[in-house]
Amino acid sequence: MVSRVRVWLNRTYAENVFFMDQLRRNPSDRAVEIHATHGDADSPVLAAADTAELEPEGLSPAAYVEYALAQCRRRGIDVFVPRLHQSAVVAHRAEFEAVGTALLAPPPEAVAVFQDKVIAYEAVQAIGVPVPPWWRVRDADELVAAVEELEAGGHKACFKPASGAGGVGFRMITRAPFSLMHLNGFPTPYVQLDLVVDALRRADEPVDWLVMPRLEQPEVSVDCLTGPDNRVRLAIGRIKNGRRRGFTLQEPWLEPARLIAEGFGLHYLSNIQFRMFGETPVLMDVNTRPAGGLHQLSLCGVNVPWLAVQLALGEDPGEVAPPFLGQDYTVVSGPRPLRPVSIPQQRGEIEAPLLPAVPAPAPVDSVDAAGAAQVLPL
């Protein structure tokens, strides 16, 4: 009898309830139990897991590693998918292996390259992957100089933190003065240059921003599955063009993604994003973790979360090609069950109190509007 597989996701985003669903519905018909931890008692991933705990707040990276090792020992975790403190966790891979846990994450050297976007751009440019022009700015004068240089070349400017994940801190710069026009409708990512300059001049410390031209659609996110031998097993691009989504296997997107995944050893799951700069696809960002939209590849007939867990367990699936490319689709938000009762946050404890184990809810094809979405065909 094949034993169950115990998988842990730590402080992950809401959309990974679909990641969890796919693990349970794996084509190997293997029993999978999922443990989830989070800092928010109302995170839908806690409700979707077989067992769940609140994470202690305020732990240093080193203390978090000790907490994670204790979780793996106590819970009998076979595969750990770290998001929070990923760099600290992967630096202790041997210690996790010693307690019987495989880390579904790249080695520390690969994670380090892509924590800082400037280092990442310089590194990928060196292996021949096109990147957009960029300026690293610390203060108002550097920001204005970068914006003026971009505008002189006929480009509109945007900025984002030099380190960070997702769209946190991303803003598009406009020179239109703030007016009632900006108070009509919904908030937007546009921000007035004069307001940004004023905020920087009043700031007590420098910022660390990347200023670059606004890149054009389509955006293509290439999800890669890479083995510990640095060989890509699967690469599929997800196209985003406004509300419309689709898939691609075209080499102008996949070839640079493979170069990055194999060249830097982005083992297991990574997500490599491109947009257009003029007529050229250029790198936008690299995530050394599974993307929130990874489950959308199920529309192409592949269960990528399960393939990744197999690879982490040493059950190499070999090179995988999607049997077909799914039709175009869109995403909408929807409801997802939460745990019946919220409990207080736990602070400063290495061992957070257990949440009662709950059975996995029946499969639901939508998630709360706070961060995930149902996939609908177009």
Side-chain angles (χ1 to χ4, degrees):
M1 180 177 177
V2 179
S3 63
R4 69 177 184 177
V5 179
R6 186 84 164 136
V7 180
W8 173 27
L9 287 82
N10 77 330
R11 203 163 308 203
T12 193
Y13 24 89
E15 206 165 16
N16 266 346
V17 296
F18 297 122
F19 187 105
M20 298 157 75
D21 289 343
Q22 286 188 284
L23 290 182
R24 292 192 181 103
R25 300 172 187 163
N26 68 81
S28 303
D29 200 25
R30 190 91 169 263
V32 175
E33 289 190 5
I34 299 171
H35 182 54
T37 58
H38 208 283
D40 178 3
D42 288 331
S43 168
V45 299
L46 296 183
D50 297 288
T51 59
E53 295 184 24
L54 281 178
E55 291 189 352
E57 296 290 346
L59 295 183
S60 68
Y64 192 89
V65 170
E66 292 302 315
Y67 161 79
L69 283 165
Q71 285 280 309
C72 290
R73 281 191 297 265
R74 183 158 58 90
R75 291 290 188 177
I77 301 299
D78 298 299
V79 178
F80 177 22
V81 187
R83 190 201 66 81
L84 182 67
H85 293 310
Q86 186 191 63
S87 59
V89 168
V90 297
H92 294 266
R93 187 180 301 269
E95 294 170 49
F96 284 92
E97 290 176 348
V99 300
T101 301
L103 297 181
L104 203 155
E109 300 81 12
V111 174
V113 169
F114 296 102
Q115 283 185 313
D116 184 299
K117 291 178 173 60
V118 169
I119 293 174
Y121 280 177
E122 291 173 343
V124 300
Q125 195 170 29
I127 64 170
V129 174
V131 300
W134 78 89
W135 289 258
R136 190 170 206 159
V137 305
R138 309 281 187 175
D139 56 34
D141 292 336
E142 291 180 351
L143 173 70
V144 171
V147 171
E148 289 179 346
E149 191 166 347
L150 277 168
E151 290 177 340
H155 304 293
K156 297 179 179 180
C158 63
F159 66 87
K160 57 186 176 182
S163 61
V168 176
F170 173 76
R171 298 291 187 274
M172 295 186 287
I173 292 176
T174 176
R175 287 185 180 268
F178 187 78
S179 67
L180 287 178
M181 177 187 72
H182 297 101
L183 299 178
N184 294 327
F186 295 101
T188 76
Y190 287 89
V191 63
Q192 287 67 38
L193 179 60
D194 58 333
L195 297 181
V196 180
V197 168
D198 181 61
L200 288 174
R201 296 203 191 284
R202 290 186 287 105
D204 295 329
E205 56 186 29
V207 295
D208 188 10
W209 289 347
L210 211 61
V211 176
M212 40 194 307
R214 283 192 236 160
L215 303 176
E216 301 302 323
Q217 293 184 328
E219 177 181 324
V220 176
S221 294
V222 182
D223 295 303
C224 292
L225 175 65
T226 307
D229 58 358
N230 294 345
R231 183 166 55 85
V232 169
R233 305 299 198 270
L234 174 74
I236 304 175
R238 289 183 286 114
I239 305 170
K240 304 176 185 179
N241 201 338
R243 179 169 285 183
R244 182 169 292 270
R245 309 292 179 92
F247 304 101
T248 182
L249 294 177
Q250 293 181 354
E251 287 302 316
W253 307 105
L254 267 57
E255 181 185 11
R258 288 195 200 95
L259 276 174
I260 293 169
E262 294 182 344
F264 295 98
L266 294 180
H267 301 167
Y268 306 108
L269 292 171
S270 60
N271 175 255
I272 303 170
Q273 302 170 358
F274 302 90
R275 271 196 176 227
M276 300 298 295
F277 180 58
E279 300 298 316
T280 304
V282 295
L283 179 70
M284 186 170 68
D285 210 351
V286 175
N287 296 309
T288 60
R289 52 169 174 76
L294 181 69
H295 65 280
Q296 294 162 13
L297 297 184
S298 63
L299 297 177
C300 298
V302 288
N303 186 329
V304 184
W306 179 245
L307 291 171
V309 166
Q310 285 184 297
L311 194 56
L313 292 172
E315 304 167 7
D316 194 336
E319 292 191 20
V320 179
F324 52 85
L325 292 184
Q327 72 180 87
D328 286 359
Y329 63 99
T330 190
V331 294
V332 295
S333 61
R336 185 82 182 193
L338 290 179
R339 295 181 57 80
V341 180
S342 296
I343 64 175
Q345 296 273 45
Q346 305 296 324
R347 298 183 179 276
E349 298 176 5
I350 293 297
E351 288 291 342
L354 292 177
L355 284 164
V358 293
V364 178
D365 289 330
S366 57
V367 177
D368 73 315
Q374 179 182 4
V375 176
L376 293 179
L378 289 176

